[in-house]
Amino acid sequence: MNKINQVFAERGERKLLSLYFCAGTPTLDCTGEVIKTMQRRGIDFIEVGIPFSDPLADGPVIQTAATKALKNGMSVQLLFEQLKSIKDEVNIPLILMGYLNPILHYGIEAFCQSCAEAGVSGMIIPDLPFDDYLNTVKPAADKYDLRVIMLITPETSEERVRFIDDNTDGFIYMVSSAAITGAQKSFDEQKQEYFRRIDAMKLRNPRMIGFGISNAQTLKAAQDNAAGAIIGSKFVTLLDESKNADEALDRLFDALKH
């Protein structure tokens, strides 16, 4: 069974936590240690960002991290080499999050094969058109037992949500708002209504809520309306400031209490 599906099958009523960081930051060679530290500290999923020069869905924090990673020398090929080196030590699902351009340059089939060889369980490609997913990416991903996670936003129609639910596996990434990534202090009533509306659809796939989660209020709203929460910008900021994954996680867990 794919590790992503296994986590959801075994979680019971427990709410899950997924963290994002950009590979190659704060240092080029830290990727493996950051992942192993997150695993040791009980994180359920890890989204490993592939740095790209034009990350359209990302706010300033993740854009800056991507720029630093590229300057440090991170590449898709190097990332796969780093992941392969820790493959036998990592049991939790790794999900690569990256934009379509570098993946196309690497080659869809080659990318999926490298994912499987490096112990990756799935991928998130924010700018992947759904037709291209169905016709090109999904066949290759299925061949290597990889899950392609699709995003929905408050603007996604119910028909589209159903279509995504019917044609994907793993989980659905619920973007909390149609804006770019970045920490928020609270989710307003409009966002809460969106959470409730999707919950009422009783989708086949579990849902994880991301974008803007940085404190107890936003974490609780995500956990109340989905299987768990995804945190990116807040952790990226703390990791950049501390240069140490353990310290960054200490500070994150503390922030999520308030």
Side-chain angles (χ1 to χ4, degrees):
M1 180 186 289
N2 181 283
K3 289 181 181 178
I4 295 172
N5 299 88
Q6 189 171 353
V7 167
F8 284 104
E10 296 175 353
R11 76 180 182 96
E13 296 300 312
R14 185 172 66 86
K15 296 298 182 178
L16 304 175
L17 181 61
S18 176
L19 294 187
Y20 167 96
F21 80 105
C22 184
T25 57
T27 65
L28 180 62
D29 299 322
C30 73
T31 305
E33 280 307 310
V34 172
I35 289 171
K36 289 189 287 184
T37 301
M38 285 198 213
Q39 175 175 264
R40 175 169 50 81
R41 297 294 297 272
I43 303 305
D44 298 292
F45 299 105
I46 301 174
E47 292 178 19
V48 184
I50 302 171
F52 181 51
S53 56
D54 191 22
L56 297 175
D58 294 311
V61 169
I62 293 178
Q63 285 188 21
T64 299
T67 300
K68 288 181 179 178
L70 291 172
K71 287 181 178 177
N72 285 344
M74 180 51 68
S75 66
V76 178
Q77 183 63 50
L78 178 57
L79 174 56
F80 280 130
E81 291 172 9
Q82 291 180 346
L83 295 178
K84 282 181 186 177
S85 72
I86 61 167
K87 180 181 178 182
D88 293 339
E89 302 172 75
V90 178
N91 301 313
I92 64 175
L94 301 180
I95 301 168
L96 293 189
M97 185 164 187
Y99 290 85
L100 189 56
N101 188 291
I103 296 172
L104 286 176
H105 185 74
Y106 194 90
I108 298 293
E109 174 87 17
F111 184 83
C112 290
Q113 182 176 349
S114 292
C115 281
E117 292 171 351
V120 172
S121 298
M123 63 191 80
I124 300 170
I125 310 172
D127 58 342
L128 174 64
F130 206 80
D131 285 347
D132 291 348
Y133 158 70
L134 287 175
N135 297 324
T136 306
V137 177
K138 188 177 187 298
D142 288 348
K143 177 179 175 180
Y144 294 98
D145 193 31
L146 301 169
R147 302 293 176 260
V148 182
I149 308 304
M150 287 289 176
L151 287 73
I152 64 171
T153 76
E155 275 69 47
T156 307
S157 68
E158 181 170 326
E159 181 184 12
R160 180 77 166 182
V161 172
R162 296 277 186 204
F163 189 64
I164 289 172
D165 190 43
D166 289 342
N167 289 281
T168 61
D169 189 23
F171 66 91
I172 290 174
Y173 189 137
M174 280 184 68
V175 176
S176 66
S177 69
I180 56 176
T181 57
Q184 299 177 36
K185 291 183 179 179
S186 64
F187 290 140
D188 60 25
E189 178 56 32
Q190 189 175 8
K191 293 186 179 71
Q192 302 269 3
E193 174 55 32
Y194 156 58
F195 297 159
R196 291 191 291 267
R197 175 170 58 85
I198 301 299
D199 188 45
M201 292 178 68
K202 304 300 181 188
L203 301 176
R204 178 178 60 85
N205 281 296
R207 306 173 317 282
M208 298 282 286
I209 295 177
F211 282 47
I213 297 168
S214 63
N215 56 20
Q217 187 174 354
T218 48
L219 177 66
K220 184 177 187 302
Q223 291 178 334
D224 285 350
N225 292 280
I230 300 168
I231 298 176
S233 296
K234 182 69 173 180
F235 181 69
V236 170
T237 296
L238 296 173
L239 184 61
D240 182 63
E241 290 173 354
S242 67
K243 308 292 191 282
N244 177 281
D246 259 317
E247 183 181 331
L249 286 166
D250 285 341
R251 293 176 60 189
L252 176 66
F253 293 150
D254 184 63
L256 295 176
K257 296 175 184 175
H258 303 101

